[in-house]
């Protein structure tokens, strides 16, 4: 096992991890809705093998994975998407492959290539690729994904300013769009929880959100709209599970609701 994984579940962290494992519902297979594989401009990286080690160490059965903001990405992210697909082929029972695109660049061919290859979702990052959520290129990709039945995970956390207002027209035109708000849309969570209430296919993922903010989320959003995420390699499974479980416990979630947050709410999209 990678030493960094061991350090998160042993030594000073052993008590935290023991508490966390003791509150996981019996027999639950955790489904991580937000993680990365590849290399990022900021130097972070994660391999398929490293991801699988972390899953095994923390008892995670499946993880949605998508490319990082790769410094070697071409205009259409084809290279990082290929790296992601190779990772998926190494662990097809444990990784759920999303491809990544840049709305500023020509991407119809890469969209079709990835869909044809078997990718099951799309990742968009407005901060890294510097686009608003109502950018015409982004709107077109949302609509293409809705037509293809692909979920879209969009970064909706750090560095974001506008989430609800630019997304609402797209959701109104595409009510069947399956949308995951990465990091729970924390810069706008109260407004988002109200504005997206009538759109049952909008999910809020918990990745690297503080427990106190997750408590607000659980008190503002129906539990079936929340899904657990780790944000590997920026987050880790033990501490993000701890934050999610701590907030859910304080918010009074039932065991069935907790099973939904940690697995079933997102698993339904990927049987």
């Amino acid at each position: 096992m990678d030493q960094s994984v061991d350090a998160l579940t042993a030594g000073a962290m052993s008590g935290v991890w023991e508490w966390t494992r003791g509150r996981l519902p019996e027999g639950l297979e955790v489904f991580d809705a937000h993680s990365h594989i590849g290399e990022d401009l900021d130097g972070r990286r994660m391999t398929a093998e490293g991801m699988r080690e972390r899953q095994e160490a923390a008892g995670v059965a499946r993880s949605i994975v998508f490319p990082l903001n790769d410094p070697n990405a071409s205009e259409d992210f084809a290279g990082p998407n290929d790296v992601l697909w190779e990772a998926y082929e190494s662990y097809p029972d444990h990784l759920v492959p999303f491809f990544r695109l840049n709305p500023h660049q020509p991407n119809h061919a890469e969209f079709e290539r990835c869909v044809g290859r078997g990718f099951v979702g799309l990742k968009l990052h407005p901060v890294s690729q510097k686009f608003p959520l109502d950018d015409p290129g982004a709107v077109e990709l949302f609509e293409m994904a809705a037509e293809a039945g692909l979920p879209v995970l969009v970064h909706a956390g750090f560095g974001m300013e506008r989430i609800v207002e630019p997304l609402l027209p797209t959701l109104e035109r595409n009510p069947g769009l399956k949308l995951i708000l990465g990091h729970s849309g924390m810069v706008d969570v109260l407004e988002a929880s109200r504005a997206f209430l009538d759109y049952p296919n909008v999910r809020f993922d918990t990745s690297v959100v503080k427990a106190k903010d997750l408590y607000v989320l659980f008190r503002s959003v129906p539990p079936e709209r929340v899904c657990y995420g780790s944000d590997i390699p920026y987050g880790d499974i033990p501490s993000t599970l701890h934050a999610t479980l701590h907030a859910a416990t304080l918010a009074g979630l039932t065991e069935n609701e907790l099973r939904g947050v940690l697995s079933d709410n997102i698993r339904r999209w990927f049987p």
Side-chain angles (χ1 to χ4, degrees):
M1 184 190 302
D2 186 291
Q3 180 59 36
S4 63
V5 177
D6 184 65
L8 293 168
T9 58
M13 290 295 294
S14 60
V16 172
W17 184 232
E18 182 179 358
W19 183 94
T20 300
R21 290 186 68 89
R23 278 157 179 76
L24 290 172
E26 186 176 354
L28 178 74
E29 293 187 336
V30 176
F31 196 127
D32 180 353
H34 189 135
S35 57
H36 310 79
I37 284 177
E39 181 180 355
D40 197 278
L41 280 166
D42 65 10
R44 299 290 184 107
R45 59 187 67 206
M46 179 54 55
T47 64
E49 293 74 19
M51 180 68 69
R52 186 66 193 121
E53 286 178 350
R54 285 157 177 76
Q55 288 179 316
E56 290 181 320
V60 171
R62 300 176 77 189
S63 300
I64 291 175
V65 291
F66 33 80
L68 287 156
N69 192 31
D70 197 306
N72 301 309
S74 59
E75 290 184 349
D76 59 8
F77 267 89
N81 290 334
D82 285 341
V83 170
L84 195 289
W85 187 257
E86 290 170 6
Y88 163 70
E89 288 187 319
S90 297
Y91 302 103
D93 294 333
H94 302 286
L95 304 181
V96 179
F98 278 35
F99 61 104
R100 182 166 178 158
L101 293 176
N102 181 351
H104 291 311
Q105 304 296 343
N107 47 46
H108 280 247
E110 182 64 6
F111 185 99
E112 295 300 331
R113 184 180 80 101
C114 288
V115 172
R117 198 172 196 180
F119 281 87
V120 295
L122 170 64
K123 166 66 181 292
L124 298 176
H125 201 303
V127 176
S128 292
Q129 270 63 68
K130 298 180 174 60
F131 65 89
L133 289 168
D134 53 2
D135 177 87
V139 170
E140 183 179 29
L141 286 173
F142 283 128
E143 293 176 343
M144 290 167 64
E147 184 176 355
L150 294 181
V152 181
L153 192 151
V154 60
H155 175 86
F158 312 109
M160 294 292 292
E161 296 179 358
R162 299 166 63 243
I163 296 175
V164 171
E165 177 260 333
L167 276 177
L168 270 177
T170 296
L171 287 168
E172 289 170 357
R173 289 193 304 272
N174 303 274
L177 174 64
K178 296 176 180 178
L179 183 65
I180 305 170
L181 297 177
H183 318 298
S184 294
M186 285 313 303
V187 296
D188 219 2
V189 66
L190 291 178
E191 184 181 354
S193 66
R194 300 184 185 107
F196 299 145
L197 186 62
D198 294 331
Y199 299 93
N201 285 329
V202 175
R203 298 283 184 272
F204 296 73
D205 89 42
T206 68
S207 57
V208 295
V209 181
K210 294 179 180 178
K212 64 182 181 64
D213 294 323
L214 289 176
Y215 174 79
V216 174
L217 177 70
F218 285 129
R219 299 292 292 178
S220 306
V221 176
E224 62 268 20
R225 305 289 290 277
V226 182
C227 52
Y228 164 72
S230 70
D231 201 24
I232 290 173
Y234 296 96
D236 62 81
I237 296 169
S239 64
T240 52
L241 273 178
H242 178 266
T244 301
L245 284 162
H246 185 57
T249 299
L250 291 176
L253 267 65
T254 67
E255 181 174 316
N256 281 339
E257 290 171 338
L258 190 56
R259 286 181 179 274
V261 170
L262 297 177
S263 184
D264 295 344
N265 295 345
I266 196 66
R267 186 183 296 274
R268 294 187 187 100
W269 289 359
F270 308 100

